[in-house]
Amino acid sequence: MHRLKTRRPIRRRAQETESDDSSKDAAPANAPNSPDQKSEEYMKTQHFKNVAEREKKRENLRSKLAKKKGTASNEEEPDPTIDKNFNFWKSVRKSFALKNLLPAIFFMFISTAMQTFGSAPLLTSNIANMFRPELSHSVNRGSFFEGWYIKSVEPSSGETLIVIPGLYTPDTRHNMTEWAIRQTERYKKDQEKYRKEYEQKLEKGEEVEPDPILDVDYDDKSQWPPETRRILQREQREDAPTSFSHAYVMVLRSARSENEKLATLYYKYSSSEFQAIPTKEGFSFKIGNSLFSNDGVTLDLAAENLVQHSDFDAAEYVARSKQRYSDLHPDYETKPFEFGAPKSLSVKGQLAFAQAKKVPKSSPSTMGPISYSPFLEYYQETISQTQTVSGSLTFEDSGDKTISEFKNGSGFIRKDWGYHYPKSWIKMQTNVFRSKPQSSLSVSITHAPLLVPSNILFGILSWLPGSKSFLYFNSFLITFYDSSTDTTYNLSKFKGCKLDKIDFSLDGSSEPIEVIDLVVRCPHQTNKPILTLKVKREINSGFVLPGPSIEFQRMAPMVEETADAAMLVKFEDKSGVLFEDVGLFGSVQIEGAPLIFKEK
């Protein structure tokens, strides 16, 4: 029905038009007689007329454009309707829009970071291990370190053992001593070359005066060139055994008697003796004959690999430690620190770990969203918040054996890695409590740059006004595990928590006891939890842990590790107090300028 209604008017209109035209113009001899044929012919005629009119208009427009440009009217011109909406400056502004420039800025950022100071190996390793940060990054070029902090405590006897295996690589391009040694090796090669030329000329019968370089014995450091001798003397590197790239195993154990001075046992191995073992879960690697994994450790440390730090490094640490304590406690005169002399101990034994409690995480690591950035100076990862420990280790010195035994021990594992340690940091940890022994608390507060200071981009951004506020930042990672409820609480900065209070003081006792008060609030979380922590430790009575030194480009004594601190922990939320207990055998590290954490 609709089709008939639409066709009839057309047919009638066509007939009316034909009848009107027939009165004006005579129909051709071969004109069609039927109405349908007449209307079809008319439509074709109208179509050709319309096409001709459009072509005529275009031709007129081309002619006008040709006259304006001073060209002949019969030259072919492009159809102006094609580019009528084109705007050059609009296209330029669009191409320089921020959303179009972001990919270019991102790739420029990556290329800049990779080109500076050998950061490409660690950069690519961070990306490859982003979702498994506990694995070894195994960077063998550029400034780099990594270490696994493995702590075990036997609550019944108070036995405390800390094992730290790791890998260290200095930045050789800024290591003047290694440069001096490489320069001396070049001199030695030149000496061999001159000697061959000198002998060849003598065989030919030529008269040649011997070069003075032929009389130098480069195996004797006293005969090295003056500039290399000055560098060695300035940096005190002759007796620094922790220089250059190497793997290491540090062992710290609690004192066996009241008069025993605590000493860090530092076992040094070549970098080639570090071997990462592929595994589907956790980590696993070997250093020498010792094996380390998240399931346990097997130690076979020979006394011949034990090294001591130089007197120069020890004096530098004492001066730096004295300055830090004078900044924190101006009215207190610190007692002189005495380094314990490590004995020629060999360590053998095995420890097994089980029932590990990991920190729940929605991002690649416990550092939160910032762990996605591969350009940071320093990273850390909590591998095991708490775990059971069983086994024993034997320490032997010339037939004298002592055994560290763990039957119902409690353990903790953390990994640190990066270019070097932050400028300032506070680390505190305990996983032995009086009433809830398997509970655990881990606190890490750092002041570090957003980018590595040696990065070119860091140098450019540092010129901007107020750049210190965003290039350097304070961050804290705090995790608390309550064994009574089998619940882990994350009170870190990226969770919306804030450091409400941090104070350092000395108590009134005769012994130099340092007191650290800490309060953390999380107002943006549902239950609004609050953590209150009071830590007490004796000053200058712990171990001295070596760390990667930027100034001397080696593993030098860096921070005091207290392994017997007492920690009063109180955890509450809007419903009331959920946990209150005393943590024993706590570990405390404070280095740099901790007063910076009091800045709001």
Side-chain angles (χ1 to χ4, degrees):
M1 294 298 292
H2 291 287
R3 185 176 300 174
L4 293 175
K5 288 182 180 180
T6 55
R7 289 182 62 184
R8 285 176 182 173
I10 296 175
R11 193 174 297 170
R12 187 178 302 111
R13 193 182 306 115
Q15 292 175 1
E16 292 174 357
T17 306
E18 285 288 34
S19 62
D20 293 339
D21 292 341
S22 62
S23 62
K24 297 179 182 180
D25 300 325
N30 57 351
N33 296 323
S34 65
D36 292 341
Q37 291 179 348
K38 289 180 180 181
S39 102
E40 184 177 356
E41 186 65 25
Y42 171 78
M43 294 176 65
K44 289 182 179 180
T45 304
Q46 284 295 110
H47 171 72
F48 289 122
K49 283 182 180 181
N50 293 337
V51 171
E53 288 178 0
R54 286 196 298 269
E55 290 294 333
K56 187 176 180 179
K57 289 181 181 179
R58 290 184 180 180
E59 185 65 26
N60 293 336
L61 188 55
R62 291 193 188 99
S63 301
K64 290 180 181 180
L65 291 174
K67 289 178 181 180
K68 288 183 180 180
K69 294 182 180 180
T71 59
S73 61
N74 58 354
E75 290 182 1
E76 293 185 0
E77 294 290 337
D79 190 353
T81 60
I82 297 176
D83 299 325
K84 65 180 181 180
N85 296 324
F86 177 76
N87 189 318
F88 174 75
W89 293 111
K90 186 177 180 180
S91 65
V92 171
R93 289 194 300 269
K94 185 177 180 181
S95 62
F96 280 92
L98 182 60
K99 65 179 181 179
N100 296 329
L101 288 178
L102 282 177
I105 295 173
F106 177 74
F107 286 111
M108 182 184 68
F109 185 73
I110 291 180
S111 61
T112 302
M114 294 178 67
Q115 291 171 2
T116 54
F117 300 95
S119 60
L122 181 56
L123 183 81
T124 55
S125 182
N126 282 336
I127 296 175
N129 295 343
M130 180 172 292
F131 293 93
R132 294 192 63 186
E134 70 276 6
L135 294 178
S136 171
H137 289 70
S138 300
V139 177
N140 55 9
R141 180 168 60 87
S143 180
F144 170 75
F145 83 96
E146 66 178 343
W148 289 260
Y149 180 94
I150 305 173
K151 178 183 177 183
S152 302
V153 178
E154 177 60 41
S156 59
S157 62
E159 182 78 32
T160 302
L161 180 73
I162 301 174
V163 180
I164 308 176
L167 188 66
Y168 171 68
T169 303
D171 190 352
T172 55
R173 278 173 284 187
H174 297 274
N175 191 328
M176 295 303 296
T177 300
E178 292 195 6
W179 174 87
I181 294 175
R182 291 197 302 268
Q183 191 73 8
T184 305
E185 291 176 352
R186 295 192 190 101
Y187 292 152
K188 193 173 182 179
K189 291 180 180 179
D190 292 341
Q191 183 188 54
E192 296 175 356
K193 178 181 177 181
Y194 294 151
R195 179 173 285 109
K196 289 181 180 179
E197 294 178 355
Y198 177 72
E199 292 175 354
Q200 290 176 358
K201 290 180 180 180
L202 289 180
E203 292 177 358
K204 295 179 180 179
E206 299 179 8
E207 293 183 0
V208 184
E209 294 183 0
D211 195 307
I213 194 175
L214 299 178
D215 298 330
V216 178
D217 182 11
Y218 285 103
D219 293 331
D220 184 5
K221 293 183 180 180
S222 62
Q223 299 186 33
W224 282 14
E227 64 272 16
T228 57
R229 292 203 306 271
R230 282 196 300 270
I231 290 174
L232 290 176
Q233 185 177 6
R234 183 184 67 196
E235 295 195 1
Q236 298 289 328
R237 294 293 292 267
E238 298 95 337
D239 55 351
T242 56
S243 307
F244 314 112
S245 300
H246 66 278
Y248 60 85
V249 179
M250 287 185 272
V251 180
L252 296 72
R253 65 167 181 167
S254 54
R256 316 304 295 182
S257 62
E258 294 183 359
N259 297 326
E260 181 182 354
K261 296 294 180 182
L262 299 178
T264 301
L265 304 178
Y266 195 100
Y267 297 87
K268 178 182 175 182
Y269 297 84
S270 65
S271 299
S272 59
E273 294 184 82
F274 183 98
Q275 299 178 0
I277 301 175
T279 178
K280 293 183 179 180
E281 294 183 0
F283 65 92
S284 182
F285 60 90
K286 289 184 64 176
I287 297 180
N289 296 326
S290 300
L291 176 64
F292 305 89
S293 71
N294 54 305
D295 296 327
V297 299
T298 301
L299 297 183
D300 188 2
L301 306 174
E304 59 187 17
N305 295 103
L306 186 64
V307 297
Q308 298 187 30
H309 294 282
S310 65
D311 295 336
F312 174 82
D313 286 343
E316 286 291 318
Y317 168 79
V318 171
R320 190 171 63 253
S321 177
K322 185 176 181 180
Q323 180 63 40
R324 183 180 66 80
Y325 280 117
S326 63
D327 293 339
L328 285 176
H329 315 293
D331 299 332
Y332 172 72
E333 184 177 354
T334 59
K335 66 178 182 180
F337 185 87
E338 298 181 8
F339 276 81
K343 300 179 181 179
S344 298
L345 291 172
S346 61
V347 184
K348 292 184 179 182
Q350 186 174 3
L351 298 177
F353 307 145
Q355 301 178 15
K357 294 292 182 181
K358 297 183 178 181
V359 179
K361 52 189 180 183
S362 57
S363 52
S365 74
T366 53
M367 293 181 66
I370 199 173
S371 59
Y372 284 105
S373 173
F375 310 108
L376 299 182
E377 178 186 51
Y378 168 77
Y379 298 84
Q380 71 177 34
E381 168 71 4
T382 301
I383 300 174
S384 175
Q385 184 82 355
T386 185
Q387 60 192 13
T388 60
V389 182
S390 60
S392 63
L393 297 177
T394 301
F395 296 79
E396 184 174 0
D397 176 24
S398 301
D400 184 13
K401 295 182 180 181
T402 56
I403 298 177
S404 296
E405 190 171 2
F406 298 85
K407 294 182 179 180
N408 189 24
S410 181
F412 171 83
I413 304 179
R414 181 189 71 235
K415 183 187 177 183
D416 306 270
W417 78 98
Y419 298 96
H420 38 72
Y421 271 100
K423 294 182 64 176
S424 304
W425 76 86
I426 299 174
K427 291 182 182 295
M428 297 181 288
Q429 188 276 330
T430 180
N431 54 346
V432 175
F433 286 85
R434 287 179 178 174
S435 59
K436 302 176 182 179
Q438 290 300 323
S439 297
S440 177
L441 174 67
S442 175
V443 178
S444 176
I445 309 173
T446 59
H447 176 73
L450 185 62
L451 297 172
V452 182
S454 58
N455 194 302
I456 294 176
L457 190 60
F458 182 91
I460 296 174
L461 294 176
S462 62
W463 286 90
L464 298 176
S467 59
K468 185 178 179 181
S469 60
F470 66 87
L471 286 180
Y472 286 90
F473 66 100
N474 294 339
S475 179
F476 59 89
L477 302 174
I478 301 176
T479 55
F480 171 64
Y481 172 71
D482 186 355
S483 61
S484 61
T485 59
D486 193 22
T487 307
T488 300
Y489 301 91
N490 197 326
L491 311 175
S492 302
K493 186 174 184 178
F494 72 90
K495 288 290 187 178
C497 303
K498 63 178 182 178
L499 203 59
D500 195 58
K501 175 186 177 182
I502 181 168
D503 285 328
F504 305 90
S505 61
L506 294 176
D507 69 356
S509 61
S510 58
E511 294 294 333
I513 303 297
E514 185 177 31
V515 182
I516 306 165
D517 291 298
L518 181 72
V519 177
V520 178
R521 298 179 183 271
C522 303
H524 301 292
Q525 295 187 14
T526 305
N527 295 327
K528 295 178 172 48
I530 301 174
L531 176 69
T532 305
L533 179 64
K534 182 182 286 292
V535 181
K536 292 186 177 183
R537 69 158 182 169
E538 185 178 353
I539 294 178
N540 288 339
S541 62
F543 303 90
V544 178
L545 281 183
S549 172
I550 307 174
E551 181 180 3
F552 301 111
Q553 289 297 320
R554 60 176 175 265
M555 291 288 286
M558 180 169 288
V559 62
E560 179 184 359
E561 168 88 13
T562 302
D564 57 353
M567 301 183 180
L568 176 60
V569 181
K570 181 180 180 181
F571 182 73
E572 57 187 321
D573 62 8
K574 62 182 182 180
S575 65
V577 178
L578 303 179
F579 183 97
E580 188 170 9
D581 203 348
V582 177
L584 307 175
F585 312 110
S587 299
V588 179
Q589 296 180 15
I590 302 178
E591 182 53 33
L595 291 177
I596 198 171
F597 300 120
K598 300 182 69 173
E599 299 179 2
K600 299 297 183 182

